[in-house]
Amino acid sequence: MRTLTPTTAGGTRALALLAVVAAVGLLPWLSGRDPALTVLRARSAEQEPTKEALDAVRRDLGLDAGPLSLLGSWASDLLHGDLGTSWVSGTDVLPSVVSGLQVSLALMGAAFAVAVLLACALVAPVLVRGRRSAGAWAAMLAAVPEFLLATVALLLFGVWLGWLPTSGWQGPAYMVLPALALGVPAGGLLGRLVADALPSVLEERWVELWRGAGVSRRYLAAAALRRVLPPLVPQFGMAAVGLTGGAVAVETVFAVPGIGRTALGAAKSQDLPLLQGAVLTLLLLGLAVGALTAFTRRWLLGPAFRDASLSLPPARPVRTHPAIPLTLFTVLAVAIGWGLLRDPYAVHTTDRLAAPSWAHPLGTDGLGRDVLARLGHGAAPTVGTAAAVCLLSLLVGLALGFLPGVAAGAADIANALPPVIVGILVAAAAGPGTGGAALAVALISWPPLAAHAGALVQEVRASSFLLAQRALGAPPLWILTRHVLPSVAAPVARHALLRLPGIALALASLGFLGLGAQPPAPEWGLLLDESRAYVERAPWAALAPALALALLAGLAVSGAAYAQGRKATPHDTGKRPRRRTPVKEAPVGG
């Protein structure tokens, strides 16, 4: 396999960065909409869009010169530290971007602190017992939509109890509710990652020796965490980036003037300089976080990084009882099947916001439509689209796993772009819809799978078994199809299955922001968005799709754990082991 060099990865990273910046610069022309008309309406909704007024806007913005001239002028000004002037407000872009970034960084810090505290609470029982569970509860916690949690927290602590402010950004008290809404799902994800990796480490020989030597449990736990954290540090970095640029929905609910909400507003008004500045800032932030995580991982490994002498033990299969995924699947299947028998578009104004009853088992929405029917008919556009995106990401990840030089640099850029930002760009170019939302999520969901596949390919190709096969004269194609691909595809496929709830949640987030499926489609994210206006009076309309997403997460995690647990080791079964290529199950994120 070709060795990854910094030059190759750096070149790919630069090309990917240029491609994103160029796509943003060409956005007004790619969208097929007249940017002069959009800017005129953003400046003054009352002004008539006459030919003279539109021509004046074009001359003012320099649109007559064409996209390449505008892009070149923006790049030239960027080299001098100038991000340009807003097309809508006429003010400098740099102060607006800096202000939004400061707010988002403060919110990210508070949310990350909440996530770490929750992760510690989830990991503590594993450190005490020394064994793990399938992580279904943590996965379901991670699958709670941030925007729904934000709405519930706003109503409970802001409106009903009046303890905390509900909107704006004027002090520390204003960041409490947004930080909770962002930090709880992230904490569920990070806690599951660490809890799944700890038991194998706690069974290593050095742990037994330390215990025999009388080392305190506190020092032993700290050493185990330091042992298990290095491969998970990149996942922590990705979570931190998601808490910044991916917080658009939460920033919208609480009217927080963050960088993500700034980018969303700029895209809707086609304020090109402001959108370019916000997206470029998010990209640079993602790259900076990536560099910081690489440094942190190197520091945690210490001499083992230079000597390449440290490798984590393979993860043990989790013994999940088949009743768990079967029960979750049955509940989802019954709800979806029951809903498919009903009409999701029938409007009954006399039954608006009706409570659950036999006639409407999950109640009705603001138009009197049956929630169960809309939940059932929304399963195909939500779960089906997520499954298609998951499969596409799996295929791309497997393919790029054999091309680490190409994948590494592009993955850095893809990781730096949250789904919402990519959704904004795709929706601005192709219009909002399910297809655009699926494309946006697919563009950035492949890097973890590609990294996992690349690590496994490198390990399999270096194994002594394949060296013996080459020495016996086995052709490369036979080795690839009979040994390398089967050994790599199964672990990466389970990884992709674990990512299915996260993909469904990303699609729901885009639907919530109006960038995905459009009314009256019964897509689950759109259902959450529609129910937000009356969640205080009819919480069942929002709880139904949220609970469905949580059940989907639990099903994916427990199903993957059951499939992995069936591959019992020879030590567990007493059977003679088969000769096959060994691979590790790398830690994965959800």
Side-chain angles (χ1 to χ4, degrees), residues 203-218:
E203 288 187 349
E204 291 183 329
R205 179 63 176 169
W206 66 270
V207 177
E208 183 180 350
L209 293 175
W210 281 31
R211 285 173 178 161
V215 176
S216 67
R217 178 173 295 180
R218 181 164 59 93

Side-chain angles (χ1 to χ4, degrees), residues 168-543:
W169 190 263
Q170 301 177 13
Y174 287 80
M175 73 170 63
V176 175
L177 293 182
L180 286 174
L182 288 170
V184 169
L189 168 63
L190 299 180
R192 180 170 64 85
L193 288 173
V194 178
D196 283 349
L198 267 176
S200 296
V201 170
L202 292 175
E203 288 187 349
E204 291 183 329
R205 179 63 176 169
W206 66 270
V207 177
E208 183 180 350
L209 293 175
W210 281 31
R211 285 173 178 161
V215 176
S216 67
R217 178 173 295 180
R218 181 164 59 93
Y219 285 106
L220 189 60
L225 287 174
R226 178 161 182 164
R227 173 79 169 89
V228 82
L229 280 179
L232 301 180
V233 166
Q235 300 289 343
F236 279 67
M238 292 173 61
V241 173
L243 292 174
T244 307
V248 182
V250 174
E251 291 176 357
T252 301
V253 171
F254 291 102
V256 176
I259 189 68
R261 186 161 171 256
T262 300
L264 177 61
K268 289 183 176 180
S269 63
Q270 288 202 2
D271 191 348
L272 185 58
L274 183 57
L275 178 61
Q276 285 175 317
V279 171
L280 182 62
T281 302
L282 286 171
L283 283 171
L284 295 178
L285 176 64
L287 294 176
V289 171
L292 179 61
T293 56
F295 172 79
T296 304
R297 180 174 180 271
R298 187 186 185 108
W299 173 75
L300 288 172
L301 287 174
F305 181 87
R306 298 188 300 270
D307 302 337
S309 59
L310 180 62
S311 60
L312 282 178
R316 293 182 306 164
V318 182
R319 300 293 185 180
T320 300
H321 197 280
I324 296 177
L326 182 61
T327 301
L328 295 176
F329 174 79
T330 302
V331 172
L332 269 178
V334 169
I336 292 172
W338 196 0
L340 288 174
L341 301 177
R342 298 166 172 263
D343 186 358
Y345 301 107
V347 175
H348 304 283
T349 55
T350 56
D351 293 332
R352 292 178 65 251
L353 304 181
S357 62
W358 179 252
H360 303 286
L362 295 181
T364 62
D365 64 6
L367 296 178
R369 296 173 297 190
D370 188 79
V371 173
L372 178 60
R374 294 183 63 75
L375 182 72
H377 286 266
T382 304
V383 183
T385 304
V389 172
C390 191
L391 178 60
L392 179 60
S393 302
L394 171 62
L395 296 177
V396 173
L398 287 174
L400 293 180
F402 292 87
L403 301 170
V406 175
D412 291 339
I413 302 300
N415 283 331
L417 284 172
V420 172
I421 300 302
V422 183
I424 291 172
L425 301 180
V426 174
T434 303
L439 176 61
V441 177
L443 286 174
I444 59 170
S445 58
W446 58 267
L449 301 177
H452 190 182
L456 294 178
V457 167
Q458 185 177 15
E459 180 181 343
V460 172
R461 284 183 165 176
S463 65
S464 58
F465 177 69
L466 287 193
L467 291 176
Q469 291 292 319
R470 296 190 190 101
L472 293 174
L477 182 60
W478 188 85
I479 293 176
L480 175 66
T481 57
R482 293 294 299 273
H483 294 285
V484 179
L485 276 179
S487 298
V488 172
V492 180
R494 287 190 290 271
H495 183 169
L497 179 60
L498 290 173
R499 291 193 170 271
L500 178 63
I503 291 175
L505 191 58
L507 292 170
S509 299
L510 294 179
F512 175 80
L513 292 171
L515 303 174
Q518 299 298 298
E523 193 267 339
W524 290 355
L526 190 58
L527 296 184
L528 288 167
D529 181 32
E530 293 172 344
S531 63
R532 182 176 52 157
Y534 45 82
V535 68
E536 182 178 2
R537 291 177 294 164
W540 48 83
L543 291 176

